[in-house]
Amino acid sequence: MLSMPTTSYDLQVDETPFLLAFRKKIRPLLSCLDSYPALMTALSLYSADNGEYLDAVGSITALEALLTKKKENEGLTYRLSLRTANLLGHDADSRKDIFRKIKNFYNLRSKIVHGVELDDKLRERLNELDSMREMVRRVLLSVMALYSAGTRPVDLPDLLDELAFDDENRKQVCASASKFLHLSAEDSPGAPS
């Protein structure tokens, strides 16, 4: 179950159609969430508010749940960074930036998990937790869009690895993955189909 946030949100009147469109598109996937245990884990970790240390660990763990294979443990930092970059990056520069950020955050996660006292550089990285959580949000929405388009969870890591070598396929997959990121007025209920 997703934890209930204690924060309230203000929704502007002109945002309501987009929220309704999003809810309509995502409801079928959420109704069968038991079929996607990694997604359920990632959503739970993303929605948790356990303080900055555990939220930093949870953010990387959520990405691991979504983007890695069951028995994968060699080169995990590299694979996770590459897959996230391939999924979210729209050009080479943004993919490099995403790759670097995930790699750095994975390093922070490792230091926290192993009880290493954080130096100033790592503390500064911890201050970028909101940026990391935004990346996790975008990955969650992208993965849910791909699942709803028929991509099986077991196939996702290999699909994302292959995007490094096929720009055309990357464009197609990223267009499908961004379905929940960029809803338009046409997607809102009552709009002509």
Side-chain angles (χ1 to χ4, degrees):
M1 294 297 294
L2 296 177
S3 59
M4 295 301 290
T6 56
T7 308
S8 62
Y9 300 93
D10 291 326
L11 190 63
Q12 304 298 320
V13 171
D14 59 342
E15 295 172 323
T16 304
F18 299 102
L19 175 64
L20 295 174
F22 174 73
R23 197 174 86 187
K24 179 182 173 189
K25 289 190 177 275
I26 206 163
R27 182 172 280 156
L29 186 61
L30 292 178
S31 68
C32 61
L33 203 51
D34 292 344
S35 302
Y36 303 101
L39 178 58
M40 194 164 29
T41 298
L43 284 168
S44 179
L45 288 166
Y46 176 75
S47 68
D49 185 9
N50 296 314
E52 61 185 2
Y53 278 45
L54 290 179
D55 286 349
V57 171
S59 292
I60 290 294
T61 305
L63 292 178
E64 283 184 81
L66 293 169
L67 304 179
T68 61
K69 298 176 187 179
K70 213 183 258 188
K71 295 183 180 183
E72 197 168 51
N73 50 25
E74 295 286 323
L76 198 54
T77 305
Y78 176 82
R79 292 172 194 259
L80 189 61
S81 301
L82 181 67
R83 290 173 186 155
T84 305
N86 282 338
L87 181 61
L88 300 181
H90 59 280
D91 60 24
D93 288 336
S94 65
R95 286 190 296 276
K96 287 177 191 175
D97 187 52
I98 292 166
F99 182 93
R100 181 187 50 76
K101 285 178 181 177
I102 297 297
K103 188 176 170 199
N104 288 341
F105 236 90
Y106 198 97
N107 180 39
L108 172 65
R109 170 239 173 246
S110 295
K111 301 293 186 200
I112 291 170
V113 167
H114 296 291
V116 174
E117 187 173 336
L118 301 184
D119 60 20
D120 290 340
K121 182 178 178 181
L122 291 172
R123 285 190 186 284
E124 189 172 312
R125 193 168 300 147
L126 192 58
N127 290 332
E128 298 171 14
L129 183 57
D130 286 341
S131 171
M132 181 62 194
R133 287 184 48 79
E134 172 60 16
M135 213 174 313
V136 173
R137 183 191 71 81
R138 291 177 57 217
V139 168
L140 275 164
L141 291 172
S142 297
V143 167
M144 286 189 279
L146 291 171
Y147 287 177
S148 71
T151 301
R152 296 177 332 148
V154 69
D155 296 331
L156 186 60
D158 288 331
L159 174 66
L160 295 176
D161 288 347
E162 292 167 10
L163 296 183
F165 305 108
D166 189 340
D167 286 336
E168 274 311 305
N169 193 26
R170 181 193 345 266
K171 289 176 189 173
Q172 292 171 357
V173 169
C174 289
S176 181
S178 68
K179 177 170 75 172
F180 293 153
L181 293 173
H182 310 291
L183 292 176
S184 67
E186 292 81 39
D187 295 316
S188 63
S193 299

